Amino acid sequence: MSHLKWLVTGLTLVVAAALSPAMAEDGAANVDDAQLEQFAAALTDVRDLGNEYSEQIASAESQEEARELQQEAQVEMVAAVEDTGMTVAEYNQIAEQMSQSPELMERVQTMLQ
């Protein structure tokens, strides 16, 4: 469970750099299954992109190349989130709620299996 929490937090920070999300203070009860399915799909895509780009960034020959790859990854991650029908703000809102709600974390983990 802590690995998923770390992953979501890390990916949220990457995607959050693109747009400033409006964080809701409501709990997991306000996230319906359809939204959570979108989130799980987005999380999977963002995670895969993160893995792909982290390897490329690690093998970059210069800091400039690494920065360019980070920017490219960020653009692709935002597109991956938006391709699921979610906004980046909605994605980040659910990720934030997950970090504070074991129930929501468990629901996402179930969808990812």
Side-chain angles (χ1 to χ4, degrees):
M1 187 180 297
S2 62
H3 177 66
L4 180 61
K5 187 174 182 178
W6 172 85
L7 177 65
V8 170
T9 302
L11 296 177
T12 300
L13 294 175
V14 170
V15 176
L19 295 173
S20 207
M23 296 293 178
E25 295 182 16
D26 300 337
N30 291 335
V31 181
D32 63 32
D33 285 343
Q35 291 171 309
L36 218 51
E37 286 174 15
Q38 285 179 302
F39 176 81
L43 177 61
T44 299
D45 293 344
V46 169
R47 179 191 59 208
D48 292 347
L49 286 165
N51 290 337
E52 176 187 329
Y53 275 97
S54 67
E55 292 174 13
Q56 293 178 33
I57 291 167
S59 63
E61 295 185 16
S62 69
Q63 286 186 342
E64 179 62 29
E65 182 183 356
R67 273 193 295 274
E68 288 173 9
L69 286 167
Q70 287 171 335
Q71 290 173 347
E72 186 178 316
Q74 184 178 27
V75 168
E76 289 199 32
M77 288 177 181
V78 168
V81 168
E82 291 174 345
D83 285 348
T84 66
M86 297 188 89
T87 65
V88 172
E90 291 167 333
Y91 175 90
N92 286 334
Q93 180 179 358
I94 292 172
E96 177 67 22
Q97 289 174 351
M98 268 182 58
S99 72
Q100 299 171 10
S101 170
E103 174 197 347
L104 190 57
M105 176 76 72
E106 188 174 314
R107 286 173 60 197
V108 171
Q109 285 181 317
T110 300
M111 289 181 176
L112 291 173
Q113 295 176 350

